Amino acid sequence: MAIFSAPVRLWLLPSVVLLAAQAVWGALRYPHLPDRIPWHIGSDGVDVWADKSIGSAFILVFVYAGVTVVTAAGAEMTLRLTPRDELTATDTPFAVRAASSLTNRPANRASARRIARAVLLLNACIGLSLLAGCGLFWRSTPDPDVPGWLVPAMLVPILAGTAVTIAAAVRDRNR
């Protein structure tokens, strides 16, 4: 039995490809990394360094893998919720109360699919942002300077994915 439904597996494909790309790129870069790699970026550039290890070199890959699992689980739960338009008075009293309360239940099945897709798109956007971060972490020289493109490269995908997710949620709320 599959953990995730077919729609979630399909919509999760871009995130899985990004995660695999990060892992392969990291594996190829790891032998060429210096003994100290960036660990934290402050306002003046890299301000904390870590000794080269699998954990320090692949932290962004591990974080993205965790975020992907949690996001996919959330998308799957969204698809499994009974939408507001399918709840009836014969349902359990709790379900009827939840449909009329502030519980964020999808309006209908189409809305649930739209929200799940938007959340998984946001996850792929997070992967693109972390891919840009990997470009800084996996440089061949321990340079404390941070290129000017890094902040926009990390923020723009997340902002775009967030906008799509909010738009899907607002569209659902207005129904």
Side-chain angles (χ1 to χ4, degrees):
M1 181 168 103
I3 295 174
F4 298 119
S5 62
V8 170
R9 287 193 309 265
L10 177 65
W11 302 330
L12 192 58
L13 192 57
S15 295
V16 171
V17 168
L18 281 167
L19 183 60
Q22 284 179 356
V24 168
W25 185 27
L28 293 172
R29 293 293 311 141
Y30 188 77
H32 307 288
L33 295 179
D35 291 336
R36 290 179 356 134
I37 57 176
W39 189 249
H40 183 266
I41 301 167
S43 59
D44 295 330
V46 178
D47 57 5
V48 178
W49 298 86
D51 292 334
K52 176 180 158 182
S53 70
I54 298 293
S56 63
F58 287 87
I59 187 69
L60 294 180
V61 177
F62 298 147
V63 165
Y64 185 49
V67 168
T68 299
V69 168
V70 170
T71 304
E76 183 66 37
M77 286 188 280
T78 299
L79 292 175
R80 291 184 184 198
L81 276 174
T82 303
R84 288 190 306 261
D85 70 348
E86 293 179 16
L87 292 175
T88 64
T90 59
D91 288 330
T92 65
F94 175 74
V96 173
R97 274 195 317 272
S100 62
S101 73
L102 295 177
T103 302
N104 193 7
R105 186 177 288 272
N108 51 46
R109 293 283 171 198
S111 178
R113 286 189 301 274
R114 190 170 35 255
I115 291 169
R117 272 194 311 263
V119 167
L120 291 171
L121 173 68
L122 174 58
N123 186 68
C125 291
I126 290 168
L128 286 173
S129 294
L130 293 178
L131 197 61
C134 289
L136 176 73
F137 277 37
W138 296 337
R139 294 186 290 186
S140 299
T141 59
D143 185 1
D145 291 332
V146 175
W149 57 262
L150 183 65
V151 172
M154 292 188 80
L155 285 180
V156 169
I158 290 176
L159 292 175
T162 300
V164 169
T165 304
I166 289 171
V170 167
R171 183 175 175 191
D172 180 55
R173 261 303 164 206
N174 292 335
R175 292 189 178 264

